[in-house]
Amino acid sequence: MKLLLVLLLFGCSHLYAQSSLKNSMVLGEKIYVRKCAACHGKSGLGKEKRIPPLANSDYLANNQESSLRGILFGLKGEITVNGVNYNRKMKAVKLSDLEVANVMNFIQNSWGNKNDAQVSEIEVRNIRSKYSEKQ
């Protein structure tokens, strides 16, 4: 009986997490279209040699915290995405912590990217707090 209860609770929490990620992605897509698509494109392909792609991005897969800092504070200096060097400035995007989490969840699970670890509002808030003094 206890095992059945544990399995039931685990199953429900897993379904909730999947549903929560999907909801976050739906909200994140709307934010992406409004705030990011003008530069990175509707399909996340970027602009050749000027603006890095978000689609199938090895940089996003390997640098989540740096990617979040880029959204929060902007990005300057050279980065390498899918073997191509980019060295243009990206301005910070004025979004709430929840909006940053939602847009990141959308980007990390679209166009060939896959990340089951959902970015949370708390995680974004902690990064904002940790690095805001250093910016």
Side-chain angles (χ1 to χ4, degrees):
M1 183 68 168
K2 286 183 181 180
L3 179 59
L4 180 60
L5 182 60
V6 168
L7 290 174
L8 183 62
L9 289 174
F10 176 76
C12 289
S13 66
H14 181 68
L15 287 175
Y16 175 76
Q18 286 179 328
S19 171
S20 178
L21 178 58
K22 286 181 182 180
N23 290 338
S24 177
M25 289 173 59
V26 167
L27 295 170
E29 181 177 19
K30 293 175 184 175
I31 297 163
Y32 180 84
V33 168
R34 223 177 55 243
K35 298 283 191 171
C36 311
C39 293
H40 289 283
K42 286 187 177 184
S43 299
L45 296 175
K47 295 184 180 167
E48 191 176 312
K49 304 235 179 191
R50 293 181 306 161
I51 298 174
L54 302 175
N56 292 307
S57 172
D58 62 348
Y59 185 85
L60 280 174
N62 298 317
N63 299 283
Q64 180 172 301
E65 185 173 301
S66 295
S67 299
L68 287 166
R69 285 194 336 251
I71 295 169
L72 290 166
F73 305 112
L75 185 65
K76 63 182 176 181
E78 189 172 291
I79 63 169
T80 303
V81 180
N82 301 337
V84 178
N85 294 331
Y86 296 87
N87 195 4
R88 295 193 64 162
K89 188 175 181 180
M90 177 181 136
K91 293 182 181 180
V93 184
K94 294 188 189 277
L95 296 171
S96 71
D97 296 338
L98 181 58
E99 289 172 320
V100 171
N102 288 336
V103 79
M104 191 64 162
N105 287 323
F106 170 71
I107 292 167
Q108 288 189 119
N109 289 284
S110 299
W111 317 302
N113 299 318
K114 184 69 177 147
N115 186 345
D116 291 328
Q118 183 173 346
V119 177
S120 72
E121 179 180 12
I122 293 168
E123 181 180 354
V124 174
R125 183 178 307 128
N126 289 340
I127 291 170
R128 186 187 302 270
S129 176
K130 179 178 176 181
Y131 291 98
S132 63
E133 307 145 2
K134 299 176 184 179
Q135 298 299 318

